[in-house]
Amino acid sequence: MLKYILKRLLIMAVTLWIIVTLTFVLMVSIPGSPLNEERGTNETVQKNLEAHYNLDEPYHIQYLLYLKSIVTLDFGPSIKQPNQTVNDLLGRGFPISFELGIVTILVAVFSGIILGIIAALKHNGVIDYMAMSIAVLGISIPNFVLATLLIQQLAVTYEIFPVATWSSPAHMVLPIIALATGPMAIIARLTRSTMLEVLTQDYIKMARAKGLSPWKIVFKHALKNALMPVVTIMGTLLAGILTGTFVIEKIFAIPGMGKYFVESINQRDYPVIMGTTVFYSAFLIFMLFLVDIAYGILDPRIKIHKKGGES
C-alpha cells in the first residue's frame, strides 16, 4: 500500500506540473499585455511596472520564476488588485468557496443516496417514477439556468430567500440547490440501478429469509456494495462542483474565489489566473487521491499487487 501511495503521489506531481506548464503557455500565448490599460502612463512607469511583475523577462525566465512561486507557495502580487497578493485573495475567498463546495457535496451525496434507495425499494411504483423524474430534470437543467430561475422565483417574486451576499445560512440555500441538483440526480439514478442489482444477490435473499427488516437489509448489508459505483464517479462530481462554484458565485454575488477568478480573466490578471488555477488543480488532484483511497477502504476485495497492479 505504501508503494502504491508513493506511486500515486509521483503521478499527482507530474499531473500538476503539466497543468502548471499548460496554464503558463496559454497565458503567454494571449496577444498583448495585462498592462495594456496602463497606456496612459509614461514609458518609464510602464517599464517599471513590467519589471515589477517580471513581464520584461524572457519567457523561460518567467516560467522558472513561476515554478519558484509555486514551490514557495508565494504566487506574487495581483496586477489589477491594488496592494493585494494572490495569497491574500486565496486566503479571503477560498474558505467561502470551500464551505459552499463541501456543503454542496454533502447535500448532493446524502440526498442522492436516499432518493436512489427509496426509488429502488419502491421499484416501478409512483415514488420510483417521481424520484427518477426529479433526477432527469436535475440532470437536464444546467446549474446556471437553475440558479437564474431560483433567484427569479424564490428571491425576487416571492422573497423567500435572500441573495447577493454570504452572511447567514439563508443565503446559502439557493446556491447550494443550484449546485447540488445535478450531482444529486446522477447519484440518485446510479444508486437506484446498483441497489436494484445488489438486492437480487443471494446474500440479500438469505438476510430476508432470516426475517431482517427491509431497512436493516439495505443499510447494513446492501448499501456498502451499492455505493461502490457512486464512489467511483465522485472524482468527476467533485471536479464539476468545485469548478461550478465559480459561475454560481458570480451569479449570486458570493465573495468567494469565483468572483476573483472571473474578474481576473476579464482583466487579464495573470498572477491571479495562474495562482488560482494551480491552487484548485492541486486541491482537486488531492481530493481525487482521497477518493481512490476511500474506494479501497470500502471494498476490501481491492488489493495492491507487488508489481503495482490492482485486482
Side-chain angles (χ1 to χ4, degrees):
M1 177 60 75
L2 179 60
K3 184 178 180 181
Y4 171 74
I5 292 176
L6 293 175
K7 180 180 178 181
R8 287 307 306 271
L9 290 175
L10 178 61
I11 295 175
M12 290 164 58
V14 173
T15 303
L16 184 60
W17 173 75
I18 293 174
I19 294 173
V20 166
T21 303
L22 289 177
T23 303
F24 178 82
V25 171
L26 290 174
M27 287 299 98
V28 299
S29 299
I30 300 175
S33 167
L35 297 176
N36 283 345
E37 295 181 1
E38 311 294 334
R39 289 176 180 173
T41 59
N42 60 54
E43 185 177 352
T44 303
V45 174
Q46 185 81 9
K47 290 182 178 180
N48 288 337
L49 287 173
E50 291 179 352
H52 178 70
Y53 295 109
N54 298 314
L55 297 177
D56 59 340
E57 299 286 353
Y59 286 149
H60 69 279
I61 299 297
Q62 293 185 40
Y63 177 68
L64 293 177
L65 293 172
Y66 177 40
L67 292 180
K68 179 183 176 182
S69 69
I70 294 172
V71 174
T72 58
L73 299 180
D74 182 7
F75 297 109
S78 168
I79 296 177
K80 300 299 182 179
Q81 300 284 342
N83 302 320
Q84 295 286 324
T85 67
V86 179
N87 291 46
D88 293 334
L89 300 180
L90 287 171
R92 185 163 58 247
F94 178 72
I96 296 175
S97 298
F98 181 76
E99 182 182 10
L100 175 60
I102 289 298
V103 176
T104 298
I105 291 169
L106 294 176
V107 170
V109 170
F110 284 107
S111 58
I113 290 174
I114 296 299
L115 194 62
I117 290 174
I118 294 174
L121 295 178
K122 304 296 181 180
H123 182 49
N124 288 334
V126 176
I127 296 179
D128 182 18
Y129 293 135
M130 290 178 59
M132 289 303 99
S133 297
I134 294 173
V136 170
L137 287 175
I139 296 174
S140 303
I141 303 177
N143 57 21
F144 60 88
V145 175
L146 180 59
T148 306
L149 294 175
L150 291 172
I151 293 174
Q152 175 64 35
Q153 296 300 319
L154 300 182
V156 177
T157 303
Y158 296 103
E159 299 182 356
I160 299 175
F161 296 104
V163 293
T165 186
W166 191 257
S167 58
S168 70
H171 290 91
M172 301 173 63
V173 175
L174 296 185
I176 289 173
I177 292 175
L179 277 172
T181 301
M184 178 204 69
I186 296 173
I187 292 173
R189 289 176 62 86
L190 189 58
T191 302
R192 174 185 177 272
S193 62
T194 53
M195 182 63 71
L196 287 174
E197 181 180 352
V198 170
L199 290 177
T200 61
Q201 300 296 317
D202 292 338
Y203 72 95
I204 298 297
K205 295 178 181 178
M206 179 65 70
R208 286 172 177 164
K210 292 180 178 180
L212 297 179
S213 66
W215 290 107
K216 189 172 184 179
I217 292 174
V218 168
F219 287 101
K220 187 175 181 180
H221 299 283
L223 185 58
K224 186 175 181 179
N225 289 330
L227 286 181
M228 295 306 300
V230 175
V231 175
T232 302
I233 66 167
M234 277 303 298
T236 304
L237 295 181
L238 282 171
I241 290 174
L242 292 176
T243 54
T245 59
F246 286 174
V247 177
I248 297 301
E249 286 174 18
K250 189 65 176 178
I251 293 174
F252 285 95
I254 298 172
M257 279 310 303
K259 170 187 175 183
Y260 300 117
F261 187 72
V262 174
E263 289 178 353
S264 67
I265 293 176
N266 294 331
Q267 299 172 349
R268 297 180 63 179
D269 194 340
Y270 289 174
V272 177
I273 294 174
M274 293 189 291
T276 305
T277 301
V278 171
F279 181 82
Y280 269 85
S281 298
F283 179 77
L284 181 57
I285 290 171
F286 180 72
M287 294 300 292
L288 294 177
F289 171 72
L290 294 182
V291 168
D292 287 343
I293 299 299
Y295 193 82
I297 294 174
L298 281 176
D299 191 352
R301 295 171 297 180
I302 299 177
K303 302 296 182 182
I304 308 300
H305 290 308
K306 291 182 179 180
K307 293 182 180 180
E310 294 183 12
S311 61

